[in-house]
Amino acid sequence: MSLSTNVSEKANLIWAIADKLTGVYKPHEYGEVILPLTVIRRFDSILEDTKEAVLAKYEQVKDLPMRDILLRKASGRAFYNTSKYTFKKLLADPENIEANFRDYLNGFSENVQDIIEKFKFDGHITTMANKGILFIVLQEFTTDKANLHPNVISNLEMGYIFEEIIRKFSEAHNEDAGQHYTPREVIRLMVNILFNDDNDILSGSNVAKTIYDPACGTGGMLSVSEEYLHELNADAKLMAFGQELNDQTFAICKADMLIKGNDANFIKDGNTLSNDQFVGQTFDYIISNPPFGREWKNEKAAIEKEAKKGFEGRFGAGLPAASDGQMLFLLTAIAKMKSAKNGGSRIAIIHNGSPLFSGDAGSGPSDIRKYILENDLLEAIIALPNDIFYNTGIATYIWVLSNKKAGTKREGKVQLINASTLFEKRRKALGNKRNDIPEEAISRITQIYGDFTENEISKIFDTADFGYTKIVVERPLREKVVLTEENFKKLFNMYKDSLYIDLSRDAIEKMSVADIINALEGIAPLGLFAEKEDVKIFFEILADFVRDEPYMDINKFAKDFNVHELAKEYKMKFNKYRNLMDLIVEKDPQAEIVYKKDEKVADPALRDTENVPLKENIEAYFEREVLPFAEDAWIDENKSKVGYEIPFTRYFYKYEAPRASAEIMAEIMELETDLSGSLEEVFDL
């Protein structure tokens, strides 16, 4: 029987126990009982062989301060249970099943009780006891279907079983199973890549390394990493560190670590983004599949506070949009890298397509890419096949980062591997998972990464190839002044209400320019103008410029306004009243350029941008790509920004010529003939 078949059958048998919950629990609640009981039953099975030894030792040391250490030694594990009960012994007294079961749970060491507490299982014990099903359910967990003894189910298989039960629970709850765990073939590929160049280091004696997952879920990534390292070097030790937000998956991860004899204290609960449990710590390897497309608004205050610390915190490079926090996990991973002088680190982390290109130059995502590439941290990006995750069918990528590139063939380079076609179809879909990455594909991708050569699915670039300077191309503002008699009247009508002039629009239409000037005599100093004389003088000056032809040079018009005798006498300047004359100022591409203090004024409506590759001279690009089409354009150098994006699919795009029209027409005619024959047969024509 294959590993996957054994796991699936065992998980199905355990899940079938949920039938005993029918009526008391709704289907989407089954996992809240089955998951913790599976974990507890696994502990029970593991401790079975040393149970009597632990009870005997407990009687000897129960009053000693160091009893915890001695009881662990007696159990041969990092945990123990001092209750006289086991799952099987509980069944001997059905009448007192609740009290005895609680006594049994209270007998576990504190590290196990912490796990049980995270499951929030206490209330379910009460519910099952009150409804009369606690004994029945525990009885089911003592049958062969729930035999979880290490001689029957290995630690590797147990990890799979936990994840399979979570998947079933998530399906019943209409939740995303994929937020809890990653398909093992994907993890295996990541681990292969993670350790690829380190075989010499990891094959020595007394090897001890650390690995960290900031969103560890059930701990699958940490477990596979440990398994792989032991394949390379059975004597090597990999200390696993992780943090997980979800209580249930945290509990399973911690339980898995205890079962394997790892230090479960290195698995922390809590929100990694707002409450980092490993501040100041660094690790040899970082591996993760953080949630993507999930907003971080709830953590915004804590994250922004840390961002203000700059590179003394994790988020000095920038902050992504609040709608998607996956790049915050990427920055967390980078912050946990050991310095190059201390051996450096390597990261393998999964993202969707957004971190490749989202955000313009100067934005948070672009600045994060800029930091990564300008510090030569990115080794490779591997495009995975679609439909290999349980909760999404979208494109996903493995980012491989390292601060150990200096002096190697990868220095200053980035490898892109398009493995999107290297999959095999599943016979039966699991959620959105319709494809698997077969072992031969994992080996091929690993070899392509290790060889660091180009082929049809591997391309190598300089880090600068992904950078560009976003230049702002300005075009001049061109305005004319249209001061016809009609516009003069409209302008006067616009301000007459605020000036308390008792004239209707129709009356003004019948007046001449001279009549309007006369009407200004005796007006009280109210409205937009500071003084009575300002009103009279402003319109008297404009009246002298009324004509049918527009003024195509607004700069000259301003000068003429300023040197008008009345303007000089009353020290009135065109610029002071410019906003009041919007009605008579119009844009015109044939007009002269507007200047302000001898500098061209840019027209915001004509403003454009160009992304100039970092490797190209900006002036040469501008002369070639812009000036032939806009000879009056210029670059506002104060607005230039450097950005980075990785247009992955563009580099692997292959043009396919459209089929010949004659071929398409022939196919259409053939289909029409077949359809016609089918219709004749149906209707006996």
Side-chain angles (χ1 to χ4, degrees):
M1 183 181 295
S2 68
L3 173 66
S4 60
T5 303
N6 189 33
V7 167
S8 181
E9 287 185 0
K10 181 62 72 171
N12 287 337
L13 287 171
I14 294 173
W15 187 257
I17 297 173
D19 290 340
K20 306 301 180 183
L21 304 177
T22 303
V24 178
Y25 289 92
K26 296 177 181 178
H28 71 268
E29 297 172 322
Y30 292 168
E32 297 175 13
V33 175
I34 300 300
L35 267 172
L37 280 176
T38 302
V39 172
I40 297 167
R41 178 62 172 130
R42 176 64 170 179
F43 284 133
D44 183 77
S45 300
I46 290 172
L47 296 176
E48 181 180 322
D49 297 339
T50 59
K51 181 69 175 181
E52 295 305 320
V54 169
L55 292 179
K57 179 60 67 174
Y58 179 66
E59 290 302 319
Q60 298 173 10
V61 304
K62 59 183 179 182
D63 296 324
L64 298 179
M66 59 183 300
R67 62 180 177 275
D68 188 66
I69 297 174
L70 297 172
L71 290 172
R72 290 185 187 186
K73 185 176 180 180
S75 74
R77 299 283 179 171
F79 55 97
Y80 53 85
N81 187 302
T82 59
S83 168
K84 67 180 182 180
Y85 295 106
T86 64
F87 262 57
K88 292 178 182 178
K89 289 182 178 179
L90 286 167
L91 302 181
D93 187 6
E95 297 299 322
N96 297 297
I97 190 66
E98 181 182 4
N100 293 344
F101 186 49
R102 291 187 185 280
D103 177 83
Y104 168 71
L105 296 180
N106 290 334
F108 276 111
S109 50
E110 289 186 12
N111 47 12
V112 173
Q113 291 195 42
D114 178 52
I115 292 170
I116 297 171
E117 182 182 344
K118 290 297 181 184
F119 278 119
K120 302 177 178 65
F121 189 53
D122 187 72
H124 293 299
I125 297 173
T126 303
T127 298
M128 287 189 288
N130 291 341
K131 298 297 183 180
I133 63 171
L134 179 59
F135 177 84
I136 297 171
V137 172
L138 293 180
Q139 186 178 46
E140 288 294 309
F141 266 96
T142 62
T143 63
D144 287 342
K145 72 175 70 174
N147 186 352
L148 302 181
H149 193 281
N151 293 342
V152 178
I153 300 294
S154 69
N155 287 337
L156 174 62
E157 291 174 314
M158 197 64 231
Y160 280 120
I161 289 170
F162 284 144
E163 293 178 351
E164 181 67 7
I165 293 174
I166 288 178
R167 187 186 65 78
K168 289 178 175 293
F169 176 37
S170 298
E171 285 181 351
H173 210 318
N174 196 27
E175 287 184 343
D176 290 337
Q179 69 178 297
H180 301 306
Y181 66 107
T182 307
R184 289 299 173 102
E185 78 266 22
V186 177
I187 303 175
R188 182 63 187 228
L189 173 59
M190 295 173 72
V191 171
N192 280 12
I193 298 294
L194 203 61
F195 293 138
N196 184 262
D197 294 332
D198 293 344
N199 289 355
D200 292 340
I201 300 173
L202 300 176
S203 59
S205 58
N206 300 318
V207 173
K209 295 290 181 179
T210 56
I211 188 166
Y212 166 69
D213 185 346
C216 63
T218 60
M221 288 190 162
L222 299 174
S223 296
V224 174
S225 299
E226 184 180 27
E227 292 158 16
Y228 183 81
L229 178 57
H230 286 164
E231 289 176 15
L232 295 175
N233 184 352
D235 296 325
K237 182 174 180 59
L238 186 66
M239 292 176 284
F241 298 75
Q243 187 166 344
E244 171 59 27
L245 175 62
N246 181 276
D247 282 343
Q248 282 188 333
T249 47
F250 162 77
I252 289 176
C253 182
K254 186 170 181 178
D256 194 42
M257 292 297 157
L258 277 177
I259 289 166
K260 291 176 180 175
N262 296 338
D263 193 333
N265 292 324
F266 294 157
I267 305 301
K268 306 289 187 180
D269 66 321
N271 191 313
T272 296
L273 299 183
S274 59
N275 185 21
D276 180 14
Q277 295 289 304
F278 299 97
V279 176
Q281 291 184 247
T282 56
F283 308 93
D284 297 297
Y285 303 99
I286 297 102
I287 186 169
S288 191
N289 177 18
F292 38 77
R294 186 176 298 174
E295 64 182 28
W296 49 276
K297 293 179 181 177
N298 292 340
E299 300 84 25
K300 186 175 182 181
I303 290 170
E304 290 183 343
K305 180 180 179 181
E306 185 169 351
K308 291 179 180 178
K309 298 179 181 178
F311 288 99
E312 291 183 6
R314 292 172 289 167
F315 311 125
L319 295 177
S323 59
D324 189 357
Q326 61 182 304
M327 293 188 87
L328 295 173
F329 284 93
L330 177 60
L331 291 176
T332 295
I334 292 171
K336 303 301 181 184
M337 298 176 84
K338 289 187 173 181
S339 64
K341 67 179 181 180
N342 289 326
S345 303
R346 180 171 287 115
I347 298 169
I349 187 169
I350 296 175
H351 291 300
N352 65 7
S354 177
L356 293 170
F357 52 78
S358 66
D360 204 354
S363 69
S366 179
D367 283 347
I368 293 170
R369 290 189 293 270
K370 177 182 179 182
Y371 174 79
I372 291 171
L373 288 161
E374 291 189 351
N375 285 277
D376 200 15
L377 296 176
L378 186 61
E379 281 193 352
I381 296 178
I382 303 168
L384 298 173
N386 289 351
D387 301 322
I388 60 170
F389 287 89
Y390 301 93
N391 65 326
T392 181
I394 64 174
T396 50
Y397 303 81
I398 299 173
W399 287 49
V400 185
L401 298 92
S402 171
N403 56 358
K404 301 186 286 186
K405 295 170 65 177
T408 71
K409 59 187 177 181
R410 293 186 181 274
E411 185 172 6
K413 304 289 184 180
V414 176
Q415 183 181 18
L416 302 184
I417 302 174
N418 182 21
S420 60
T421 60
L422 303 182
F423 65 89
E424 61 183 15
K425 285 284 184 182
R426 294 182 60 88
R427 286 186 297 176
K428 182 180 180 182
L430 290 174
N432 286 306
K433 184 172 175 57
R434 300 176 178 86
N435 300 321
D436 292 324
I437 305 177
E439 188 61 39
E440 58 269 23
I442 293 174
S443 298
R444 183 183 176 195
I445 298 166
T446 304
Q447 183 174 355
I448 289 172
Y449 166 80
D451 290 345
F452 193 64
T453 56
E454 291 194 321
N455 55 41
E456 71 278 6
I457 66 170
S458 171
K459 296 183 182 298
I460 298 172
F461 299 88
D462 295 333
T463 55
D465 288 331
F466 305 115
Y468 62 90
T469 302
K470 180 182 179 181
I471 61 172
V472 176
V473 178
E474 300 284 17
R475 298 281 303 282
L477 179 65
R478 296 176 182 270
E479 291 180 329
K480 63 183 179 183
V481 178
V482 184
L483 191 51
T484 61
E485 183 173 340
E486 179 183 1
N487 278 355
F488 182 87
K489 292 178 181 179
K490 288 180 179 179
L491 185 64
F492 179 74
N493 183 68
M494 184 180 296
Y495 295 109
K496 54 96 176 175
D497 289 338
S498 58
L499 296 171
Y500 295 92
I501 297 177
D502 189 19
L503 289 171
S504 67
R505 177 180 297 180
D506 290 340
I508 293 173
E509 285 293 328
K510 296 175 183 178
M511 298 171 69
S512 66
V513 172
D515 292 337
I516 292 174
I517 298 302
N518 290 333
L520 289 171
E521 295 292 341
I523 293 176
L526 298 172
L528 295 177
F529 299 90
E531 298 179 1
K532 167 186 172 183
E533 290 299 323
D534 278 355
V535 180
K536 180 174 182 291
I537 301 306
F538 174 71
F539 280 100
E540 279 186 348
I541 295 172
L542 286 186
D544 287 345
F545 288 96
V546 173
R547 71 181 195 186
D548 293 335
E549 296 297 319
Y551 294 87
M552 300 301 288
D553 188 344
I554 195 172
N555 304 292
K556 185 176 184 307
F557 182 88
K559 289 179 181 179
D560 292 344
F561 182 99
N562 292 340
V563 299
H564 191 282
E565 290 184 1
L566 292 176
K568 288 194 296 183
E569 182 179 349
Y570 290 93
K571 298 180 180 179
M572 300 177 69
K573 297 291 185 181
F574 173 83
N575 287 339
K576 180 179 178 180
Y577 300 100
R578 168 63 183 81
N579 292 337
L580 303 178
M581 293 187 280
D582 283 343
L583 180 66
I584 63 174
V585 176
E586 300 176 7
K587 288 185 181 181
D588 189 330
Q590 303 304 316
E592 296 296 322
I593 296 172
V594 179
Y595 284 86
K596 185 176 182 180
K597 295 182 179 179
D598 297 326
E599 291 188 2
K600 294 179 182 178
V601 176
D603 186 347
L606 298 178
R607 184 172 295 143
D608 202 357
T609 60
E610 293 280 338
N611 291 342
V612 183
L614 282 186
K615 288 185 172 181
E616 188 160 352
N617 180 273
I618 293 176
E619 290 300 328
Y621 178 96
F622 185 73
E623 290 178 6
R624 184 183 74 248
E625 300 292 338
V626 178
L627 289 182
F629 311 100
E631 61 182 12
D632 58 358
W634 73 93
I635 300 172
D636 187 341
E637 296 181 356
N638 292 326
K639 296 177 182 177
S640 295
K641 295 179 181 178
V642 174
Y644 283 82
E645 65 177 7
I646 306 172
F648 194 103
T649 54
R650 184 195 307 168
Y651 294 127
F652 292 95
Y653 172 76
K654 291 183 179 180
Y655 172 75
E656 293 184 8
R659 296 165 60 194
S661 57
E663 181 184 343
I664 297 173
M665 179 58 70
E667 186 175 326
I668 293 173
M669 296 297 292
E670 183 180 350
L671 290 171
E672 287 184 347
T673 301
D674 291 343
L675 179 60
S676 178
S678 299
L679 291 173
E680 288 179 1
E681 185 177 339
V682 171
F683 295 105
D684 295 325
L685 296 176

